[in-house]
Structure formats: structure tokens, C-alpha cells
Amino acid sequence: MQLIQTILALIVTLGILVTIHEFGHFWVARRCGVKVLRFSVGFGKPLFSWYDSKGTEFAVAAIPLGGYVKMLDEREGPVPEDQRHEAFTSKLPSRRIAIAAAGPAANFIFAIFAYWLLGVVGFTTLAPVVGEVREDSIASQMGLSEGMEIYAIDGHEVNSWREINMRLLERAGEHGEVAFSVGNQGARQALTGNLGGWRLSDDSPNPVELFGLQPWRPAVPAVLGEIVSGGRAEAAGLQEGDRVTAVDGEPVADWFALVKYIQGAPEQTLTLSVSRQDTVISVPVTPAIREGENGESSGFVGAGVSQVGWPDDMLRDVSYGPLAAIPNAISETWADTRLTFVAIHKMLTGLLSPSNLSGPITIARVAEASVSSGFEDFVRFLAYLSVSLGVLNLLPIPVLDGGHIVYYTIEAIRRKPLSEQVQAFGLRIGMAMILTLMVFALYNDLMRL
């Protein structure tokens, strides 16, 4: 069932973004007087299609991993004399540049709209208050401690852990100083630390965690919530509302300590001391074994945690009026755009591991998780992925929109197009680069399974 949900999430996510991207090409092509023969979402044989009054075929194809807009083009076959003025190749380079750039532009416009919608609807985020600080980390060396609220990084205001993650990601691999503005009980102070070439690891791209920080969280007692049907917890007789006070005689401080005990004892019998209705009973339970992404085994019993509420002062309600949401949406989109360029640059220069490159499997899993977690996360994911799609398509690689823009710009300067041999050579190089990236991204996906 989860596999089906993941596949559906991928189809919905890619369907939305591809349709937006290709609609950009389609809309501008129409306004530049180019005849559009087909607008396809997906590749391969159309599952169904229809025609509009101008003769354009709109199709939904069987392979939902992309799409295209097919225009009347003299390079693809003879064009009747009376239609030659509607051919893409008959248009001035400036118009062809506009058509090529329209797809990425549509992705950026969609991201702005998505962030605008979030701002108008409103959302709740966690205050960036520090919880646990790892001792051997840059955060600890800087003097960050539990209870501090982070207000700014390198002079840039931050209001959520997401923004902190983005700011830290921009500094990955660098050797200079990083500056935090923090506060504790109203008193603000500046803290600085030396990055020393701080890098993201191959298997954990979470900058906050690798920097040595954990977001503050309320105390979570070891009280059981949902009991999974057919799991080891149910088989042992554990019930919702049970509070585990000790494991094999060792006191349990909170839920996370209980999880650590269970994960460290796959297929080993543990004796839980359980408080139930003012009575303490002993319950033997044997955690089942589960293989992790890194190949290590851990135990689990099939029991969730009882929900714990967050204090009101740790939550931030964010909302804007329709007009005030516009500059905020543009700022969010620009931040995503800048982050994507920074990430590409760091990968090319070796400051960020290429193993962080993701393909369709990871996109599908993240899409499914964001759909499950709620409207805000899914919209944010769509917006960021749309920005990434726009940026990647603007790269000056033949076969991508950016490569076409380069060709048409050279044509406008030279007043004649590049030779077919040069364009064909560039096309082969571009295809090789894209296929290499796709294979590498898919390999990374498979290694994460």
C-alpha cells in the first residue's frame, strides 16, 4: 500500500511541475506566433488526448517522468509554404530565447504563487530554540547552549529551523567564521565560530544536526500511544497509555531512552516495568529486527508514542495579508534559487558530496512523506522542487533550455546559426551529461533504500 502511495505521490508531484513548466513554453510560443502541434504530459504513447480549436493536441502519456511541447519546426520535416511563418525556426532569435526561457520562468512564478498561498493561508512553525548541543561540535565550541533562541546567522534573520538549515547549507565546506545572533531570556548576544572546512556527510544531509544542534522539544515521557496490530508490543500484552518506568531494572528517563533500549536489542527479550492504572507490572517483550538504510540492524516493537503538546511560546503563527505576502513569497523563492545555485557550485567544487544528488526514487519518497505530513510541507516541497527544476533547466547544457538559449544568443550575435555539426556535437555532449547525472542520481537513490 505504501509503495502505491509513493508512486502516486511521484506522479502527482511530477505531473504538476511538468505541466507548469511546459505550459510556460506553450503560452509564450502561442504569443510569438508559433504553431504548437502537441502539448504532452508524460512520454510515450498517449493514454488519451484531445484537440483545441487551433489544432493543438493535448495528451497525457504513459510514462509520467516528464513532458514536452512539440512545435512546427523545419528541422523536423518539410513545412508547407503557407505555414512557414508559424514555424519555430522562422522566428527571430529573441523570440526563440523567450520561448526557451518561458518554461523555467513558469517554475519560478509557480514557486512565488505557492509561497504567497502559504503566507495568506498561514502556517505554524517551531521557534528556533536550541535543545541538546553535541559536545564535540562547532555549535558547542561557539558557546551555543540549550534554551538559546537563534535570531540570525551571518546577519540574515532566521525564524525557523528550515531557514537555519538553509543558511548552514550555504556555508558547508567553508573555512571562515560563522556568526550567530542568539538570545536567552531576552538578552541578545553574538557568537562566532570557525567552520574549519565543515562538511555535510554522505548519508546525512541535515546541516543542523551535523552542526551539533538539536531543536528544543518538550519532555516526552515513555508513555505508549498507538499499538500496532500484529506487532511484538501487542503480542506482549502492552496497552495504549502504559508508562514504561524501567527496562531490565534500569530506569527510563523518557521516550527517547526507551527507543534506544529497544533499538539496541533486536530479537532479545527485555523486561519492561510498566505503570498501568497505579499498578506496576513486569512485561517481557522481544523486539523484532529491522534492517536500516546503512545495513545495521535495530529492534522495534510496533508501538507509537503518546502525543505531547508544545508550549504556546514555542510556536510561531505566521500569516500575511494578500499584498504583504507578495514580497515574502518573492524573498522565499529567491532564497531557494540562491540555495540551489550554491549547492550546484559546492558539488562541482567538491565542497558538497555528489552523493546528496537525488533521483526519482528519493523524490517519490519525499513527496509521499510531505503529502502525508500536511498541506504546508507538500506546498513547500513543490515550491522548492519547482525552483530546482527551473534552475537546472537554465544551466547552459545542450538539450536543456539553457543550452538552447546559449545557441540562440550566439545566433543573434553572429547573425547566423551555428552549423548543424556543432549543434549535433553539443547535443551529444549534453545527452551524455544528462544521462550520467540521471544514472548517478538513480544509483544514490538505490543506495538509500
Side-chain angles (χ1 to χ4, degrees):
M1 185 63 183
Q2 184 175 1
L3 176 61
I4 295 175
Q5 290 178 341
T6 301
I7 293 173
L8 288 176
L10 174 64
I11 291 173
V12 170
T13 300
L14 291 182
I16 292 172
L17 298 181
V18 166
T19 301
I20 289 166
H21 181 91
E22 298 304 332
F23 181 79
H25 292 310
F26 167 80
W27 190 85
V28 174
R30 278 272 182 92
R31 274 139 192 84
C32 288
V34 176
K35 183 177 178 61
V36 179
L37 303 177
R38 174 183 286 178
F39 183 127
S40 179
V41 177
F43 297 112
K45 185 177 181 180
L47 298 175
F48 56 90
S49 63
W50 66 97
Y51 291 84
D52 69 359
S53 60
K54 295 186 178 182
T56 300
E57 179 188 12
F58 294 85
V60 176
I63 306 174
L65 295 177
Y68 61 92
V69 170
K70 183 178 181 180
M71 292 170 265
L72 191 65
D73 194 318
E74 293 177 293
R75 295 169 299 182
E76 298 184 5
V79 175
E81 187 65 34
D82 62 337
Q83 295 182 10
R84 190 163 294 174
H85 67 285
E86 295 183 295
F88 177 79
T89 43
S90 72
K91 302 302 177 183
L92 293 172
S94 58
R95 295 205 168 192
R96 281 178 273 150
I97 290 172
I99 294 170
N107 288 122
F108 294 124
I109 292 170
F110 171 76
I112 292 172
F113 169 75
Y115 283 126
W116 175 86
L117 181 63
L118 276 181
V120 172
V121 172
F123 57 91
T124 300
T125 186
L126 299 178
V129 176
V130 177
E132 183 180 346
V133 179
R134 197 176 69 242
E135 290 185 4
D136 59 341
S137 65
I138 299 174
S140 176
Q141 296 168 10
M142 290 176 61
L144 286 163
S145 60
E146 184 175 356
M148 287 182 173
E149 181 169 355
I150 302 172
Y151 297 118
I153 297 178
D154 294 330
H156 299 282
E157 184 179 339
V158 292
N159 297 298
S160 67
W161 285 105
R162 174 180 178 272
E163 293 178 7
I164 292 173
N165 256 322
M166 293 175 70
R167 289 297 171 191
L168 291 179
L169 180 57
E170 291 185 10
R171 302 300 308 275
E174 298 182 12
H175 288 267
E177 282 196 341
V178 62
F180 278 56
S181 175
V182 300
N184 198 348
Q185 297 180 346
R188 297 185 67 148
Q189 59 178 312
L191 299 176
T192 59
N194 194 300
L195 291 170
W198 169 74
R199 299 170 64 91
L200 301 184
S201 70
D202 292 350
D203 57 353
S204 177
N206 185 334
V208 164
E209 180 181 328
L210 293 170
F211 199 75
L213 296 172
Q214 287 289 340
W216 182 92
R217 57 194 177 197
V220 182
V223 177
L224 304 185
E226 179 184 3
I227 304 297
V228 177
S229 177
R232 298 289 177 89
E234 183 185 59
L238 292 169
Q239 300 176 10
E240 185 175 342
D242 285 348
R243 179 169 188 154
V244 180
T245 59
V247 176
D248 290 340
E250 294 291 330
V252 172
D254 55 22
W255 172 261
F256 306 103
L258 174 61
V259 169
K260 188 174 181 179
Y261 274 116
I262 292 173
Q263 289 182 339
E267 298 300 342
Q268 300 176 34
T269 300
L270 301 174
T271 300
L272 308 185
S273 298
V274 176
S275 176
R276 180 187 298 167
Q277 297 177 353
D278 298 327
T279 302
V280 177
I281 59 176
S282 293
V283 180
V285 61
T286 304
I289 191 170
R290 174 164 49 196
E291 294 292 335
E293 293 183 1
N294 55 5
E296 296 182 0
S297 300
S298 63
F300 74 104
V301 297
V305 62
S306 181
Q307 294 298 315
V308 176
W310 285 77
D312 290 341
D313 61 347
M314 288 294 174
L315 301 175
R316 301 285 189 271
D317 292 323
V318 181
S319 64
Y320 301 90
L323 292 179
I326 295 174
N328 177 73
I330 294 173
S331 176
E332 292 266 21
T333 302
W334 167 244
D336 286 352
T337 303
R338 185 173 183 276
L339 179 62
T340 304
F341 275 117
V342 168
I344 293 172
H345 174 261
K346 288 183 182 292
M347 283 189 186
L348 293 176
T349 56
L351 297 179
L352 188 63
S353 171
S355 64
N356 291 305
L357 188 67
S358 298
I361 296 176
T362 297
I363 292 173
R365 294 172 67 184
V366 174
E368 194 274 333
S370 60
V371 169
S372 302
S373 59
F375 173 78
E376 179 199 342
D377 287 338
F378 183 57
V379 172
R380 284 191 181 280
F381 174 69
L382 278 178
Y384 183 73
L385 201 59
S386 187
V387 168
S388 299
L389 183 62
V391 170
L392 291 175
N393 269 281
L394 285 176
L395 295 179
I397 299 175
V399 314
L400 296 180
D401 295 326
H404 294 309
I405 291 171
V406 170
Y407 281 163
Y408 305 146
T409 301
I410 293 174
E411 180 181 342
I413 295 172
R414 298 176 71 235
R415 297 183 180 271
K416 63 178 181 178
L418 292 170
S419 68
E420 291 186 5
Q421 292 83 357
V422 171
Q423 294 191 46
F425 180 71
L427 180 65
R428 288 194 292 271
I429 293 177
M431 287 294 294
M433 294 175 66
I434 296 301
L435 286 174
T436 301
L437 285 174
M438 290 176 62
V439 170
F440 191 73
L442 184 59
Y443 172 80
N444 287 343
D445 283 353
L446 295 174
M447 291 298 99
R448 296 186 183 110
L449 291 178

